[in-house]
Amino acid sequence: MALVTLGELIKRAEKSNCAVGAFSVGNLEMVLGAVRAAEETNTPIILQIAEVRLKTSPLELMGPLMLAAAKNSSVDIAVHLDHGLTRGCIDKALEIGFTSVMLDASLLAFEENIKATESVIEKARAYGASVEAELGVVGGNEGGGNAHKILYTQPALAKEFCERTGIDALAVAIGNAHGNYPVLPALRFDVLEKIASLTDTPLVLHGGTGITADMFRTAISLGIRKINIATASFDALAGHAKEYCSGTEKANYFELSTAMAKGVYENVRKHIEIFNCEV
Ligand code: 13P
């Protein structure tokens, strides 16, 4: 049994001064590809799915699949709800057995965000699960809807937020955004450094797609302990599917499935190797 909490994996990442990769999944091939990359590199990962993705990949189906993959894996895996937006969805994920949840109340006012986070923590603790929250606003969007404008995390507020809530991980906004960046982002490492100097709470970098290996390593050296990758895996799956279909007269489901899993595997493996800081 290799199902663990996000808190446990982040603690280990802290000790080894690396970051744990949190890879978004939306179907069987994505789960298979991500888990294969984790097993072949003998590296723990987080399998995650965002609430906005549940329209195409229902929680009742994806949840048990992700949990079974984690339990049957040869490496430790946490199963996480990414960007939980509603209390109903967060509660359901905990009831299904997710070992961590993110409450994204970043669009609420500071005090409201704290109140909502405290309430989720109380529920999650009853399940032995970890909680991630967000302060400031990460740009873009994590699937449909309008793009959010980046609002940088204010270091002093981050300190207060972590102290008052006792969350396991804090997602920070330092110029990062979800989706493909139109141009390479100028991440505010000075803001990250300041936040890290004020709190011991492990920090999370969202919007990993398109960030360079050097930038990841700098972020890790400044205290990032969890890095989210979604778009790059969805794109890798779609790209491999397209390549397979355009290279054959008659597409075969089994070969197509293998091609999709391979695309995700390659993307996840590439990121695992960077996050473990193997230069
Ligand atoms: P990307 O889609 O940019 O990789 O972002 C992933 C993420 O942060 C999910 O929460």
Side-chain angles (χ1 to χ4, degrees):
M1 156 130 169
L3 177 65
V4 296
T5 65
L6 172 146
E8 165 64 27
L9 293 188
I10 285 186
K11 252 186 237 141
R12 283 192 230 164
E14 201 136 54
K15 267 198 202 129
S16 342
N17 201 24
C18 66
V20 55
F23 299 100
S24 297
V25 292
N27 67 6
L28 173 67
E29 283 77 11
M30 296 191 84
V31 173
L32 290 174
V35 171
R36 182 181 149 208
E39 290 183 335
E40 285 187 13
T41 54
N42 198 25
T43 304
I45 58 165
I46 297 163
L47 283 178
Q48 65 181 16
I49 188 162
E51 183 169 345
V52 287
R53 299 287 179 207
L54 301 177
K55 291 190 283 282
T56 38
S57 313
L59 186 60
E60 302 77 11
L61 304 179
M62 283 305 296
L65 170 64
M66 293 160 74
L67 289 161
K71 286 175 186 164
N72 287 301
S73 173
S74 62
V75 295
D76 287 342
I77 294 180
V79 175
H80 175 69
L81 177 72
D82 187 31
H83 290 283
L85 300 168
T86 63
R87 191 52 198 266
C89 181
I90 288 172
D91 288 356
K92 202 156 138 191
L94 290 168
E95 282 152 23
I96 287 177
F98 278 42
T99 53
S100 70
V101 289
M102 175 189 185
L103 167 68
D104 180 355
S106 58
L107 296 178
L108 298 182
F110 183 70
E111 288 298 331
E112 293 303 305
N113 190 346
I114 288 199
K115 217 160 50 189
T117 303
E118 282 172 340
S119 161
V120 167
I121 287 180
E122 195 185 334
K123 174 94 180 185
R125 293 291 179 250
Y127 288 87
S130 312
V131 177
E132 174 184 339
E134 177 174 326
L135 193 64
V137 179
V138 172
N141 67 68
E142 54 285 341
N146 295 327
H148 301 307
K149 212 166 159 285
I150 294 169
L151 194 64
Y152 291 94
T153 305
Q154 293 181 40
L157 288 183
K159 173 182 158 66
E160 185 183 342
F161 188 88
C162 293
E163 278 172 4
R164 284 176 61 188
T165 60
I167 44 165
D168 300 286
L170 179 71
V172 292
I174 54 167
N176 46 323
H178 296 106
N180 286 305
Y181 294 99
V183 291
L184 191 64
L187 296 184
R188 289 284 305 273
F189 290 123
D190 57 323
V191 175
L192 175 60
E193 195 168 11
K194 184 82 188 150
I195 297 168
S197 74
L198 294 176
T199 176
D200 289 335
T201 301
L203 304 175
V204 182
L205 184 67
H206 281 240
T209 295
I211 290 181
T212 65
D214 280 349
M215 289 164 90
F216 280 133
R217 290 193 186 105
T218 303
I220 291 167
S221 75
L222 295 173
I224 290 291
R225 296 288 165 244
K226 171 180 180 267
I227 301 177
N228 286 9
I229 302 289
T231 306
S233 286
F234 289 113
D235 287 353
L237 179 147
H240 274 64
K242 189 171 176 209
E243 193 181 304
Y244 166 70
C245 289
S246 57
T248 182
E249 288 243 314
K250 187 177 182 313
N252 167 299
Y253 163 75
F254 301 99
E255 290 174 0
L256 175 62
S257 173
T258 303
M260 292 193 289
K262 185 164 180 278
V264 176
Y265 159 77
E266 288 173 359
N267 180 57
V268 171
R269 184 171 181 136
K270 178 182 91 179
H271 285 95
I272 284 176
E273 284 166 0
I274 298 167
F275 301 163
N276 281 314
C277 296
E278 291 167 4
V279 196

